Amino acid sequence: MAVRREVYLDHAATTPLHPEVQKEMCHILENTFGNPSSLHFYGRAAKQQLELARTRVAALIGARPEEIIFTSGGTESDNLAVIGAAFAGRSKGRHIITSAIEHHAVLDTCVMLARNGFDVTYLPVDKDGFVDPLDVRKAIRRDTVLITIMHANNEIGTIEPIPEIGRIAREHEITFHTDAVQTVGYIPVHVDALNVDLLSLSAHKIYGPKGVGALYIRKGTRIQPLLHGGGQEREYRPGTENLPGIVGLGKAAEVAARDLPGESARYRMLCDRLIRGIKERIPDAKLNGHPEQRLPHNVNFSFCGTKGECLLVGLDQQGIAVSTGSACSSGASQLSHVLKEIGLTPELGAGTIRMTVGRSNKEEDIDYVLDALVELVERQRAFDEKV
Ligand SMILES: *Cc1c(COP(=O)(O)O)cnc(C)c1O
């Protein structure tokens, strides 16, 4: 039996604070309490930090600082983009196009809008999780005011053809939003290369603090704010700013931009090792999501004849943290909307786990996880055969 390790493989859910981020946040907490809107030097010091953070976030995604609005996280950024663009476009029409595999922050927001007079088209995806740009083109109507398609899926890791969809949106002069919470900091993200008007990102997925994020709003894009009050964030997001959080996001963005090429290649290497090992030792395991067009840090597998929750618990007992593809609601395990959409049967979907690597993971961790996982899958299958 190998020595017990602690292996965190749930970086798509959240990441720990990077030490450099923590240091910068502590410095702000200790030294800079001013309100960035105040005109005296306490305020000016805070304002300077706020704008430095804005510059750093803008640099990470190829935007201009004045196009960055700070929010309370990915969820709020998605809500602000989708509701904001839908409301701003009401005089033109009430049709929205999205995909069936969006994060709930987009999906549930669209459901709310549909209950309030909007018409929403949910595009299907293929077995690898791809949205077909042709389907987007076909779904466009005269009254379409918003297209919102995620950059990469948080469960299965598939990277969507955003530049192409963006080109189609632009041809039709329709506002285009992408939820890039899973891609920013992991693969190169440039708002002009992606042809997007609105882009959501979140700090805690890139080694920043929880409860802070940003929305990129391309100059000239019309959106209505969700909150009303002061004039902060150019009135798109009023309220005194969460300065320590924003400074943390700014530092996380700077570190991400600096380390992206090396870390991204390292994540890819670790995931390749994990995928190769699983395929070799559990030949009937099914890799979910596209084999190549996927996030460098995401591995998602289904093992027939197993239960994801049981695998999660078994791995947890050995110090390994993963997540499943199903949410346990009222005792019965419910297949996630994403796994359902890519066509997994309830049986196969139930045996699904997601493993997402990050900074702390090393090759030895992957080998440790492989041994533990293979044994658990075999044990579960053997047990099922007996009963
Ligand atoms: C985590 C996540 C969100 C939500 O971000 P929060 O900052 O936790 O609100 C939205 N979209 C995707 C794709 C995510 O992975």
Side-chain angles (χ1 to χ4, degrees), residues 23-329:
K23 192 163 159 241
E24 198 138 321
M25 287 179 72
C26 287
H27 191 261
I28 290 292
L29 284 166
E30 281 167 17
N31 298 287
T32 313
F33 75 89
N35 185 327
S37 299
S38 301
L39 297 178
H40 46 64
F41 64 89
Y42 291 95
R44 292 199 304 276
K47 177 86 174 167
Q48 194 191 349
Q49 291 297 329
L50 182 68
E51 296 314 316
L52 173 63
R54 202 184 306 281
T55 304
R56 286 169 165 173
V57 172
L60 179 62
I61 59 169
R64 285 177 287 190
E66 63 272 22
E67 295 174 310
I68 302 297
I69 298 298
F70 292 116
T71 67
S72 68
T75 300
E76 187 189 327
S77 295
D78 284 346
N79 272 263
L80 177 56
V82 174
I83 299 171
F87 273 52
R90 259 185 311 185
S91 57
K92 180 188 166 197
R94 293 179 171 230
H95 180 233
I96 298 167
I97 298 170
T98 188
S99 86
I101 63 162
E102 296 300 305
H103 189 275
H104 279 295
V106 166
L107 227 38
D108 294 4
T109 303
C110 286
V111 168
M112 183 281 287
L113 287 169
R115 276 201 307 265
N116 285 276
F118 284 85
D119 198 5
V120 183
T121 299
Y122 301 91
L123 296 176
V125 295
D126 69 10
K127 64 177 191 356
D128 292 326
F130 277 124
V131 173
D132 187 342
L134 267 179
D135 286 346
V136 177
R137 191 185 286 281
K138 281 188 234 153
I140 291 173
R141 311 191 317 210
R142 247 212 311 272
D143 61 343
T144 305
V145 290
L146 173 68
I147 299 172
T148 172
I149 307 282
M150 68 200 321
H151 192 189
N153 184 268
N154 46 296
E155 281 190 50
I156 58 174
T158 301
I159 300 170
E160 300 296 343
I162 296 302
E164 228 177 310
I165 297 170
R167 216 171 304 123
I168 294 166
R170 195 158 292 168
E171 260 174 49
H172 292 83
E173 293 178 32
I174 298 166
T175 301
F176 181 38
H177 166 249
T178 195
D179 174 337
V181 171
Q182 287 293 332
T183 52
V184 166
Y186 291 89
I187 61 172
V189 170
H190 194 293
V191 292
D192 290 338
L194 293 176
N195 297 321
V196 296
D197 302 310
L198 302 163
L199 179 146
S200 305
L201 61 91
S202 174
H204 77 99
K205 303 287 174 81
I206 56 167
Y207 303 87
K210 290 161 187 53
V212 59
L215 180 66
Y216 158 77
I217 306 177
R218 183 179 294 279
K219 189 171 187 288
T221 305
R222 286 178 55 237
I223 73 163
Q224 275 190 21
L226 301 178
L227 304 182
H228 304 273
Q232 293 92 344
E233 298 298 288
R234 299 179 30 245
E235 293 181 23
Y236 285 116
R237 211 290 188 168
T240 302
E241 301 86 347
N242 166 14
L243 192 65
I246 290 168
V247 164
L249 169 57
K251 189 63 186 179
E254 188 198 52
V255 171
R258 182 192 72 198
D259 295 352
L260 191 148
E263 280 302 280
S264 176
R266 210 177 65 79
Y267 298 159
R268 175 86 59 195
M269 183 270 293
L270 292 172
C271 284
D272 283 350
R273 191 181 182 91
L274 186 54
I275 292 171
R276 216 178 328 114
I278 291 173
K279 282 183 170 170
E280 269 170 28
R281 295 168 65 178
I282 313 173
D284 63 354
K286 182 188 179 305
L287 177 70
N288 295 310
H290 193 271
E292 281 102 41
Q293 279 292 107
R294 64 184 303 119
L295 290 167
H297 65 302
N298 173 296
V299 175
N300 186 304
F301 267 102
S302 297
F303 307 99
C304 61
T306 70
K307 289 268 173 290
E309 296 102 288
C310 298
L311 294 175
L312 183 148
V313 170
L315 291 168
D316 188 50
Q317 282 169 351
Q318 296 181 63
I320 301 164
V322 305
S323 71
T324 61
S326 53
C328 218
S329 59

